[in-house]
Amino acid sequence: MDSATTATQTKKAEDASASRESLTITDNRSGKSYEIPIKNGAIRAMDLRQIKVDPAEFGMMSYDPAYNNTASCISKITFIDGDAGILRYRGYPIEDLAEKSTYLETAYLLLHGELPTAAQLKEWTYSVTHHTFIHESIKKFLDGFHYDAHPMGMMISTIAALSTFYHDAKDIFDAESRRKQTYRLVGKMPTIAAFSYRHTLGMPFVYPDNELSYPGNFLNMLFRTTEAKYRPNPTLEHALDVLFILHADHEQNCSTNTIRGVGSSHVDPYSATAAAIAALYGPLHGGANEEVLHMLLEIGTVQKVPEFIKRVKAGEVKLMGFGHRVYKHYDPRARIIKKVAYEVFELMGKNPLLEIALECERIALEDEYFIKRKLYPNVDFYTGLIYQSMGFPISMFPVLFAIPRTSGWIAQWQEMLLDPEQKIARPRQIYLGHDTRQYVPMDQRG
Ligand code: CMC
């Protein structure tokens, strides 16, 4: 074989290997190479396990605290491109859904994969609406909470308590049972949220009105007093519906990862949803909208914004409502929310905290600290201002996130259950604690 032929063959082999969908890893401890297949831009962590120096070793793992770079599932529900600021549910851009859809239609889309036909939407709306009542015993249960109990604490406990009422919820592999629990969860979340709110005010509970829309009925259960028939303000009803659409799902965030993880033990969906609500309650997740309001109140005036930003840059406090694990660009939901905010302010009067929020955003978007870290306003930055203008107390803000997220949680829970590759979620650890030690009797401990 002449050298020209050899060179051609080498080039062909190189081209073939360059186009192979695989990764070659060389273990420099042993000099051994491993070819690991790439599928959908990822390698399987289990393929790393074969990498070992000694056959008795456990094998290589990947270490990824907080799952910064680990895909835990294959999903067909929500797509986010964090660099481009794109969010789509089942392929439909969030902007289109916010403009043209309703929350119940969007919830159907998330849960069923397709937009409903007129007949399907009618049936779905009827079923959700006819599952809005809660058992009278739940009212007694709610009465047990202190008047100043946080509504998220009440939501977590009450949703968990639903599992004690619906024993059929344990049949998680029965499609009919899942359908029933979905109606109940989507239908009862607003009722429990509204009852929790009324309880804190010491006001009588208002029962659901089946003639109203999903957000309209929620406003009825929250705010109705002596009217024979509550008529929600159309601007507020629409604003709430849009906010519900924007909050319906957000792929593998902390609370969704929680419902998938807890649900992977095959517990009933009420217990799993209670766990998801608990995850959402944290100030780094759905509790951030509440924190934003406290922060704006603490800043107090536009003049004090630069001083506050200085504290943020010094690492003393966070600018709540800014930053996101996935979005390294303006959160597309925040853009839509800003528009809704102005519609609500036109009706209810401008929220005096708006100027402070706008000044925080203006300074942050021009400041090197925020630019370098790609910190932009997220969904929670403006929602609190809208909720406050609509008359919600600050503690209700995370509840307003939990209600619509229920459809996303259940869609993700169901996808996890029906995925033959999924098993009980059980990560590995790297143990760096003590090796075996001799037990030290009490009188010998220093
Ligand atoms: N204010 C000031 N600095 C921030 C902020 C903030 N809000 N967020 C991130 N940073 C800094 C952070 O200190 C770090 O700086 P350095 O590189 O010097 O250490 C850098 O930016 C990267 O931050 P990170 O903490 O590694 O980012 P993460 O992906 O782990 O956290 C986050 C994401 C949302 C938890 C975080 O940005 C945060 O705490 N934001 C405030 C809370 C908030 O608004 N949460 C709502 C999120 S959107 C609604 C939802 O889906 O839950």
Side-chain angles (χ1 to χ4, degrees), residues 284-285 288 318-319 321-325 369 373 375 378 380:
L284 299 188
H285 193 8
K318 273 190 169 179
L319 184 58
F322 261 69
H324 201 276
R325 171 62 60 78
Y369 176 95
R373 291 170 178 79
L375 301 172
N378 59 49
D380 290 317

Side-chain angles (χ1 to χ4, degrees), residues 66 68 250 253-254 280 282-289 292 312-313 317-328 331 333 369-370 372-373 375 378-381 401 405:
N68 272 289
H250 212 234
N253 54 81
C254 178
L280 188 76
L284 299 188
H285 193 8
N289 51 19
V292 170
V312 172
K313 287 163 63 177
V317 283
K318 273 190 169 179
L319 184 58
M320 297 309 285
F322 261 69
H324 201 276
R325 171 62 60 78
V326 182
Y327 291 121
K328 300 303 169 198
D331 182 334
R333 299 169 299 175
Y369 176 95
F370 296 88
K372 207 174 106 203
R373 291 170 178 79
L375 301 172
N378 59 49
V379 69
D380 290 317
F381 193 63
F401 195 148
R405 185 54 61 87

